[in-house]
Amino acid sequence: QVQVVESGGGLVQAGDSLRLSCEASGRTFSPYSMGWFRQAPGKEREFVGHIRWSGNTAYAESVKGRFTISRHKTKSIVHLQMNSLKPEDTAVYYCAADQAGSMARYWGQGTQVTVSS
């Protein structure tokens, strides 16, 4: 059983920063990549960014230059540093953990980020 747990959401003002964290745990879990998606009310879930355990990162155009994903050196933990937040960043943020050597993707329960103008 793989568990994915996010933390760090909250209510901030436009221009503020926020850091989300995500940990994947499970005896058999070995990460290929971990990343973030978000879903705003009435919209589909969208890709935010991810980091492969090789170190490569990728980001959605809407967050490039403002958001940064990093990972722990030895544990299946990633962080999403969000700077210069905008009201349109308001969404539930979900962490996704991809299992190495398989097509399995595990999701967290989501954490709410609300940016007020």
Side-chain angles (χ1 to χ4, degrees):
Q1 184 93 10
V2 177
Q3 286 190 317
V4 179
V5 179
E6 304 101 334
S7 61
L11 171 64
V12 296
Q13 293 187 330
D16 284 352
S17 297
L18 201 59
R19 188 188 194 215
L20 306 183
S21 297
C22 171
E23 180 171 10
S25 61
R27 193 165 55 88
T28 61
F29 182 71
S30 177
Y32 169 72
S33 69
M34 291 179 66
W36 296 89
F37 290 72
R38 66 187 181 186
Q39 188 167 18
K43 295 187 177 181
E44 294 194 351
R45 191 173 297 190
E46 65 175 5
F47 171 77
V48 174
H50 72 201
I51 184 166
R52 291 186 176 148
W53 244 239
S54 61
N56 293 338
T57 56
Y59 298 94
E61 284 297 324
S62 59
V63 306
K64 272 184 184 177
R66 299 188 298 124
F67 291 11
T68 303
I69 296 177
S70 60
R71 68 173 183 90
H72 193 279
K73 287 185 178 180
T74 58
K75 297 181 180 180
S76 299
I77 296 174
V78 294
H79 305 288
L80 177 64
Q81 178 66 41
M82 304 185 291
N83 298 329
S84 302
L85 282 161
K86 304 175 182 180
E88 51 264 43
D89 293 318
T90 294
V92 177
Y93 283 70
Y94 296 92
C95 179
D98 293 340
Q99 172 75 43
S102 81
M103 298 294 289
R105 168 169 285 177
Y106 303 96
W107 292 95
Q109 79 288 351
T111 186
Q112 177 71 47
V113 172
T114 303
V115 185
S116 64
S117 57

